[in-house]
Amino acid sequence: MKQLIITGGQGSLARAIAEAFAGSDWQINAPSRLELDVTQREAVEAFFADRAVDLLVCAAGITRDAPLLRHSEKDWDEVMAVNYHGAAACARAALPSMVARQTGHIVFISSHSALQPPLGQSSYAAAKAALLGFADQLAGETGSHGVRVNSILPGFLETRMTESVTATRREQVLADHRLGHFNTPAAVARFIHFLHHELPHTSGQVFQLDSRKAQKT
C-alpha cells in the first residue's frame, strides 16, 4: 500500500486532497498542527521516522499580512517557519526513504503571491517564492534518484485562510481571473491526483491552476 502524507491536514485543501486519493491503494495520513507542527524540527523528524512515503504534499500554511513597517518580527518569523522552513524540513525528513527506494514524489503548495504579491503580503510572498526556488533546486538534486518534485499555485481558494479577506479585496482578486471565478480545493486535489498518477515523467515544474496571468507584462 502506498503512503500519502499531507501536512496542514485540517485545512480545506488538505481534506480535499485526502478525499481525492481515498481508496484501497493509499494509506493517507493528514496530520493537524497539533499532530505535526512543521515548525518543530525534532517533531518532524520523529513523525517521518520509519515511514516510507510515496507522496508528500506540503500544504501547511499561514498568513500574517501587514505592511512591512507594521509587520512584527514574530509574525514574519512564524510565516517563514510554517510556509517555507516547515515544508523544507518535511521534505528533508521524507527524502531518505524515497532515495533509498529510488521513487517518490514531493508536491509543494506555493501561491500566486510568489509571482505577483499583493500589497501587505511581504512575508507570505517571500516564503512562497523561496519555496519555488527550493523546489526547483531539489528537483535537480533528486531526479537521478527517481524522486519527483513539483510546485502548485492553486489560486485563490474559498478556505478558512481567506475568510478574513474583505469583500472589496475579493472582488479585486476576482477581476484578475479571465474566467470570472475562483478555483476550488476539489479541483486542485484532482489535479494533484492526475499529476502523480498520469504524469510520472514530470518534475521540477510549477503549475498555476487559476486563470490569472502568471507574470506581469
Side-chain angles (χ1 to χ4, degrees), residues 4-11 14 29-36 47:
L4 164 62
I5 303 295
I6 312 165
T7 67
Q10 293 304 302
N29 196 326
S32 67
R33 186 169 188 176
L34 290 177
E35 297 168 304
L36 174 61
F47 181 87

Side-chain angles (χ1 to χ4, degrees), residues 84 108 130-143 149 151 204:
Y84 173 63
F108 293 111
L131 195 59
L132 291 182
F134 176 73
D136 184 63
Q137 178 69 19
L138 193 61
E141 291 181 5
T142 62
V149 182
S151 299

